[in-house]
Amino acid sequence: SAGVRLQYGPGQLGTALLTRARVRLRLDTGLLTDAVVDLDRRGMLIGQPSATYLLGSEVLYDWAEGRPILRGVEHTHDLTRLSHGDPLITVNTAIEIDPLGQVNVEGVDDKVVGGIGGHPDYCRAGRLSRGGLSIIAVPSTVNGRSPLVDQLSRPASTPAFDVDIIVTENGCADLRLADWAQRRTLITELFAR
């Protein structure tokens, strides 16, 4: 709904979210990308975003010049601040998800893709925010491999209890009121389609 704060993960997911936004948003995120420039030009950005980093083209850097956007992680990742105020909707992705909803965003086996960054901070804040949500959005397969695994190949980046909803192109699994057995069923069915 209009006026919510959005945190989004980097990559195609974040770009798609901002490109398809049909309501005005506040951005309260770790990383701002080029897609914020288009969001602002379409009149869909409320106020100045808050972010730790900028990652994009000269268009983004030119747009950001002189704006009070960048803040330290002690502000951008502060659980107390994030979980209070306007509802915070967090939309992130995962490399692996187990049948209970634990998330790995670091890599597979010995192959490291990246660090956990703000993933656990933002997921928890979205879950704790009044009217907020913690959403994990992933394709059902990546390079012929499902992100759903029986057991994570690395330690959990984000615990299962900080994930409200998992979304794939097959639909969504709302885990907010599900017990452990129900979570397993909902998540497994989401990836079995």
Side-chain angles (χ1 to χ4, degrees):
S1 63
V4 301
R5 291 176 298 149
L6 177 69
Q7 178 272 326
Y8 65 95
Q12 293 177 350
L13 172 65
T15 299
L17 276 172
L18 297 188
T19 301
R20 290 177 174 86
R22 299 296 177 251
V23 296
R24 297 185 67 208
L25 302 168
R26 298 180 198 288
L27 296 181
D28 202 339
T29 192
L31 180 72
L32 278 179
T33 59
D34 284 346
V36 70
V37 178
D38 178 61
L39 186 74
D40 188 32
R41 288 180 179 158
R42 291 187 297 122
M44 304 302 279
L45 178 64
I46 299 172
Q48 295 294 340
S50 173
T52 316
Y53 307 101
L54 299 175
L55 181 64
S57 69
E58 287 301 315
V59 171
L60 174 65
Y61 298 112
D62 289 346
W63 174 87
E65 182 69 33
R67 295 176 189 244
I69 293 171
L70 298 181
R71 308 267 182 113
V73 292
E74 68 280 354
H75 174 83
T76 57
H77 292 57
D78 179 28
L79 182 61
T80 301
R81 183 189 69 79
L82 288 167
S83 61
H84 290 84
D86 291 334
L88 177 67
I89 308 296
T90 67
V91 184
N92 291 286
T93 193
I95 294 172
E96 294 178 329
I97 300 171
D98 77 8
L100 296 177
Q102 293 187 107
V103 176
N104 163 20
V105 297
E106 296 177 63
V108 177
D109 298 318
D110 291 337
K111 182 181 178 187
V112 176
V113 174
I116 62 171
H119 201 280
D121 303 317
Y122 286 112
C123 288
R124 174 152 303 162
R127 183 181 61 81
L128 293 176
S129 173
R130 185 178 188 144
L133 282 174
S134 170
I135 301 169
I136 301 297
V138 294
S140 61
T141 59
V142 178
N143 298 324
R145 180 181 178 272
S146 174
L148 179 65
V149 294
D150 291 331
Q151 183 176 345
L152 301 179
S153 65
R154 303 183 64 80
S157 308
T158 299
F161 58 81
D162 283 335
V163 176
D164 292 324
I165 295 174
I166 298 174
V167 178
T168 73
E169 72 277 10
N170 296 327
C172 70
D174 187 339
L175 308 173
R176 288 175 287 181
L177 299 176
D179 64 25
W180 294 112
Q182 291 167 328
R183 289 174 75 91
R184 182 178 296 277
T185 299
L186 289 168
I187 293 169
T188 302
E189 287 176 353
L190 182 63
F191 287 90
R193 297 178 191 175

